[in-house]
Amino acid sequence: MATTKILIIGGTGWIGKFMVEASAKAGHPTFALVRESTLSDPAKTPIIQSFKTLGGDIHDHESLVKAIKQVDVVISTVSYMHLPDQFKIISAIKEAGNVKFGNDVDHANGVDEAKSLIFDDKVQIRRTIESEGIPYTYVVANFFTGHFLPTLSELIATPTPLHKVIILGDGNPRAVFNTEEDVATYTIRTVDDPRTLNKTLYIKQLANTLSCNDLVSLWEKKTGKTLERVYVTEDELLKQIQESSFPVNMGLAICHAAFVKEEHTNFQIDPSFGVEASQLYPHVKYTTVDELLDEKYNRTPFYLNQFIPVNKV
């Protein structure tokens, strides 16, 4: 049975709850830093019951240090809205292992909206961890399918009707899609694995690496429907980003990095600093995009239809 004690910061959040479940399932003593206001929130009760709570607050240095001293590994799943708070975690964690996850910002050259809102902060967080000598594993999750492959029921209002599909550029650059559950499973696998120490784990399975054109063609094959493909040029996309407000501009900027600049896949993993998850853990059964587009999951390729009106293309 696993004995490594894991503290998950952000354990009641969107990805945090998957991380908690994966950690507990693997047999690790699993803890989460939970504020008093969260403990009293009825909506959070089912999640809180799945782990041991450690009282504390990310903004209270003493309580944060106290919580970290009780565990062996810290996994931070704080959202992009709270990225600067990770520096508070770093200051309290110098003697603890630290597992991070997110876009591969060391290979990112996104437009200003993505760089200023996310990428630049993440680069600075990484460099600070390294300069402090904290043992780490960075986890590059790429696109979460729960967000970037919405179901039809989640597409409540779309400016572009669903007999059409928005495609960026020529639709050929490839991006990587992973379920939240699989990202959590792979992340927990790294906890006691010396092969991932001070390296980046890329969750980059070939079966889940698809272009927009691939994604649409696969959905059409699954459903027997044919979509009208609306191609948005890079110049048109950049104009949309500049004219949009947060969070739409950020979402479009991230898609620009993946679907136009191909930043999920335009580099080779150097074994001196990185490893690929499915190669490192070949026995882990992960969910493929092909499976997600089946009727059981009902995922779709209409993410961009939510943000780009066809009459503006």
Side-chain angles (χ1 to χ4, degrees):
M1 182 172 176
T3 58
T4 301
K5 297 187 290 293
I6 298 176
L7 170 63
I8 297 170
I9 298 179
T12 60
W14 173 249
I15 188 60
K17 64 179 181 286
F18 293 102
M19 208 66 68
V20 165
E21 182 179 355
S23 177
K25 186 176 180 180
H28 292 284
T30 304
F31 303 83
L33 193 71
V34 181
R35 292 173 295 186
E36 289 188 13
S37 59
T38 303
L39 287 170
S40 60
D41 184 351
K44 302 290 187 180
T45 299
I47 304 172
I48 293 171
Q49 290 176 342
S50 64
F51 55 75
K52 301 174 184 178
T53 60
L54 292 177
D57 193 309
I58 197 171
H59 303 294
D60 183 338
H61 181 74
E62 289 187 6
S63 69
L64 188 57
V65 171
K66 182 179 178 182
I68 290 172
K69 283 183 177 180
Q70 299 178 60
V71 300
D72 304 304
V73 170
V74 174
I75 298 176
S76 174
T77 65
V78 298
S79 74
Y80 65 86
M81 295 291 291
H82 302 286
L83 279 179
D85 290 338
Q86 300 229 36
F87 293 104
K88 298 175 183 178
I89 300 172
I90 293 170
S91 70
I93 201 178
K94 292 182 181 180
E95 295 182 3
N98 197 24
V99 180
K100 300 284 180 180
F101 67 93
N103 256 324
D104 185 10
V105 290
D106 285 332
H107 287 92
N109 294 288
V111 295
D112 288 346
E113 284 75 6
K115 285 178 66 65
S116 61
L117 290 168
I118 295 183
F119 296 160
D120 286 349
D121 275 345
K122 286 191 174 183
V123 168
Q124 189 177 354
I125 289 166
R126 289 187 178 201
R127 299 295 86 82
T128 302
I129 290 169
E130 292 155 12
S131 67
E132 293 288 357
I134 297 172
Y136 65 85
T137 301
Y138 303 132
V139 179
V140 177
N142 296 305
F143 279 169
F144 287 124
T145 57
H147 182 74
F148 287 97
L149 297 180
T151 63
L152 288 173
S153 62
E154 292 167 344
L155 295 164
I156 299 172
T158 58
T160 294
L162 300 184
H163 67 277
K164 304 175 187 248
V165 61
I166 297 293
I167 296 177
L168 303 183
D170 63 9
N172 291 325
R174 298 176 304 157
V176 183
F177 300 85
N178 291 297
T179 69
E180 289 80 347
E181 293 90 344
D182 289 339
V183 170
T185 296
Y186 282 125
T187 300
I188 297 302
R189 285 294 183 106
T190 70
V191 166
D192 293 317
D193 190 344
R195 295 174 298 175
T196 65
L197 181 62
N198 295 341
K199 289 191 176 182
T200 298
L201 180 78
Y202 296 92
I203 307 177
K204 193 177 176 183
Q205 311 96 325
L206 184 60
N208 284 350
T209 303
L210 296 90
S211 69
C212 279
N213 286 328
D214 293 334
L215 192 61
V216 172
S217 294
L218 185 58
W219 187 86
E220 290 176 330
K221 180 180 177 181
K222 296 276 187 182
T223 62
K225 299 177 181 178
T226 301
L227 298 172
E228 179 184 336
R229 304 186 187 201
V230 180
Y231 290 89
V232 180
T233 68
E234 182 175 13
D235 287 344
E236 290 168 333
L237 175 60
L238 293 174
K239 185 173 183 290
Q240 289 272 339
I241 292 171
Q242 292 169 356
E243 293 177 351
S244 299
S245 57
F246 180 85
V248 173
N249 60 347
M250 183 190 70
L252 292 177
I254 290 173
C255 287
H256 172 267
F259 287 126
V260 177
K261 297 302 185 183
E262 204 166 8
E263 291 187 353
H264 287 187
T265 57
N266 65 0
F267 62 94
Q268 296 294 320
I269 298 174
D270 185 331
S272 67
F273 65 75
V275 289
E276 199 284 311
S278 62
Q279 293 181 12
L280 204 60
Y281 308 113
H283 300 301
V284 170
K285 173 67 172 70
Y286 63 87
T287 305
T288 66
V289 171
D290 186 284
E291 293 170 316
L292 289 170
L293 297 184
D294 284 338
E295 189 174 352
K296 176 183 176 182
Y297 296 101
N298 202 28
R299 294 285 164 187
T300 75
F302 297 122
Y303 176 76
L304 288 164
N305 285 45
Q306 302 171 98
F307 308 115
I308 300 179
V310 70
N311 61 0
K312 287 192 176 183
V313 177

